[in-house]
Amino acid sequence: MFRPVKRKITLTIIGTSLMLPMGIASAQTAPADVEALQAQMQALQSQIDELKSQQSSTEEEVATVSDNVVTRTPKGDLQIGETTLSIGGYVKAQATVANNGFSDGKASEIVSAGSLRNVDEDLGSRTSFSARQSRLNVGTATPLAGDTLKTFVEMDFYGADGEANEFVSNSYAPRLRHAYGSWGNWLAGQTWSTFMDLNGLGEVDAFGQHASVIFVRQAQLRYTRPFEGGNLQFALENPEDGGDDQSVPDIVGRVNFDGDWGHVSVAALARRLEVDNGVDDDSEWEDAYSVTARLPTVGQDDLRLQANYGNLGRYMGLRSYPDAQVGEGNIDGVDSWGASAIYRHYWTDELRSSLAYSRTGLVDTGAGDMTDSYDTAFVNLMWSPMANTTYGIEYQRFDLEEVDGDAFDLDRVHVSAQYSF
């Protein structure tokens, strides 16, 4: 970058050196010329000093940019000025062998009460491979007004089934999972519902698919108030009952307790269900409750428990139960219940297993093809031989029974390889 400057300095010094003997020789007969030559050398030295100063300043500026503007944090994130930029996610390859096929021709990687109704025993077994659960996320953290402004965006590839195929490219579209910002006690954007506790999920490859799980991501405004040993959370969240009729946000409150003894959380949900379709015009307030716990047991083992009750609708089990029934101009919320237990045992530091059972049931009187009961069972073996690497094999069982007596079941063996970054 500075070679032209150096070359100019070098040529000037060489030229001066060549001219110096001639000047000295001339000085024997012309003293005035010696004084002129000395003046020229002083001027030249001033130019050299100035160029060196400019070069040193430029090098210091480059060093400042390198050291203070773009650096790496101890965790490996990028520090750009005052903003920390983190990039994460994982690549996950999955293979599934199911005992039954699906009448819609899909492998139904994510099993729900809805997809179970497409199971057709006459179609025989189905094998499928996929990498769609792979994720990519970007987060930032910037000091702002005495606190930290954080943002987070994440996507996977479960979007737009109708636009993809498995014939040639398997070109599945990205899907928004999270997009939110937080500052201080406030959070705004799309992320896990405040009615959901991640501690209730457990380490199962059928992520978010056990029957009683509270599993919802949606846009919201949340306030969190910490206290010693936990925090309180209040949120207004996107309302939805399948008919897009709700005019009042879903209201959620949660209290979390944490300590060396483990974690316990209690949440309450209030919803205003509405119908206004030109024929029926009615509304009704409904409520639901959830309790979760994560309790250490022996060594690294832990037990995770969850119990839910009330107008759970789309919040529980990937919408196993409807939010409401509409008839004769009235809307009535549908109540259900769910419970689960997940025990994780460490065989070694790298090898562990989880055993999970979950069951749900209908509280109100239903009819026809409404879900009457839904239960799931999983057992797995997870191996993490290196950092950021996990291999797993899991047996999965799904059972669904409708009010009219129809029943659907599915057995699967699921194998996965996950590489995080």
Side-chain angles (χ1 to χ4, degrees):
M1 178 175 181
F2 302 103
R3 288 178 183 174
V5 175
K6 291 181 179 178
R7 187 177 297 114
K8 181 177 180 181
I9 294 171
T10 302
L11 292 175
T12 304
I13 293 173
I14 292 173
T16 303
S17 300
L18 292 174
M19 294 174 64
L20 187 58
M22 297 174 61
I24 294 174
S26 300
Q28 297 176 355
T29 57
D33 292 341
V34 174
E35 294 179 359
L37 180 59
Q38 290 176 342
Q40 292 176 2
M41 291 179 65
Q42 291 176 354
L44 177 62
Q45 185 62 48
S46 297
Q47 293 178 3
I48 293 172
D49 292 341
E50 183 179 356
L51 289 172
K52 286 182 177 180
S53 177
Q54 292 177 357
Q55 179 178 353
S56 176
S57 298
T58 304
E59 289 175 345
E60 289 178 0
E61 183 179 349
V62 171
T64 300
V65 171
S66 176
D67 294 340
N68 299 328
V69 177
V70 182
T71 61
R72 292 187 64 182
T73 69
K75 293 183 178 180
D77 297 329
L78 294 177
Q79 186 76 32
I80 305 174
E82 293 186 337
T83 297
T84 300
L85 174 66
S86 59
I87 301 174
Y90 59 74
V91 172
K92 188 168 185 177
Q94 306 174 93
T96 303
V97 179
N99 68 323
N100 292 325
F102 293 82
S103 59
D104 59 5
K106 297 180 181 179
S108 293
E109 292 175 45
I110 300 176
V111 178
S112 65
S115 64
L116 273 178
R117 289 179 167 88
N118 290 316
V119 167
D120 188 341
E121 296 180 2
D122 295 331
L123 295 179
S125 62
R126 170 70 183 255
T127 299
S128 64
F129 290 74
S130 174
R132 297 178 68 185
Q133 194 184 119
S134 301
R135 299 178 188 171
L136 176 64
N137 60 62
V138 177
T140 66
T142 307
L144 179 64
D147 217 308
T148 302
L149 174 64
K150 299 179 181 179
T151 65
F152 185 80
V153 177
E154 183 178 68
M155 65 180 183
D156 61 17
F157 299 89
Y158 279 119
D161 274 341
E163 302 298 324
N165 65 74
E166 298 180 5
F167 299 119
V168 178
S169 63
N170 288 267
S171 50
Y172 293 101
R175 178 187 68 167
L176 180 67
R177 286 174 54 82
H178 300 274
Y180 66 86
S182 65
W183 181 82
N185 297 335
W186 293 94
L187 178 148
Q190 176 170 307
T191 188
W192 298 117
S193 170
T194 311
F195 193 60
M196 174 183 171
D197 184 8
L198 288 172
N199 287 279
L201 294 180
E203 189 179 22
V204 294
D205 245 346
F207 180 71
Q209 297 172 55
H210 58 276
S212 72
V213 66
I214 300 297
F215 194 92
V216 173
R217 290 186 302 270
Q218 60 191 8
Q220 62 192 271
L221 176 65
R222 179 194 300 172
Y223 176 79
T224 301
R225 180 70 176 180
F227 60 82
E228 185 176 354
N231 60 67
L232 286 167
Q233 296 179 319
F234 300 95
L236 300 178
E237 304 192 5
N238 182 59
E240 178 57 57
D241 64 0
D244 197 27
D245 297 314
Q246 291 177 282
S247 60
V248 178
D250 288 358
I251 304 169
V252 185
R254 174 177 291 279
V255 57
N256 298 305
F257 302 96
D258 294 280
D260 295 337
W261 50 267
H263 166 88
V264 170
S265 184
V266 180
L269 167 69
R271 314 171 64 193
R272 182 176 174 83
L273 305 178
E274 300 180 57
V275 59
D276 184 5
N277 55 20
V279 177
D280 303 308
D281 186 358
D282 191 26
S283 64
E284 182 178 84
W285 279 98
E286 293 287 344
D287 56 345
Y289 307 90
S290 178
V291 179
T292 54
R294 177 184 52 78
L295 305 172
T297 56
V298 180
Q300 300 181 68
D301 294 8
D302 62 61
L303 173 65
R304 298 172 188 251
L305 302 170
Q306 182 168 177
N308 311 309
Y309 183 89
N311 184 236
L312 299 163
R314 66 185 179 89
Y315 280 88
M316 185 177 73
L318 304 182
R319 205 184 179 197
S320 303
Y321 297 87
D323 294 276
Q325 299 182 89
V326 178
E328 299 181 356
N330 298 318
I331 186 170
D332 295 306
V334 175
D335 285 351
S336 57
W337 64 269
S340 65
I342 305 173
Y343 190 85
R344 179 171 60 176
H345 172 67
Y346 276 80
W347 305 100
T348 68
D349 288 342
E350 296 81 23
L351 197 65
R352 58 205 179 274
S353 294
S354 289
L355 175 63
Y357 179 73
S358 181
R359 182 171 179 80
T360 69
L362 183 66
V363 174
D364 294 329
T365 301
D369 60 359
M370 184 183 295
T371 301
D372 185 57
S373 66
Y374 180 37
D375 58 297
T376 58
F378 311 125
V379 60
N380 62 36
L381 183 64
M382 313 296 283
W383 180 42
S384 299
M386 301 172 291
N388 302 330
T389 302
T390 299
Y391 302 100
I393 181 169
E394 182 172 275
Y395 167 72
Q396 305 169 353
R397 171 74 181 184
F398 304 85
D399 284 287
L400 172 72
E401 185 171 341
E402 297 179 339
V403 174
D404 59 14
D406 289 341
F408 308 88
D409 62 77
L410 180 68
D411 292 281
R412 303 199 310 178
V413 175
H414 186 85
V415 182
S416 64
Q418 180 174 314
Y419 307 98
S420 303
F421 56 89

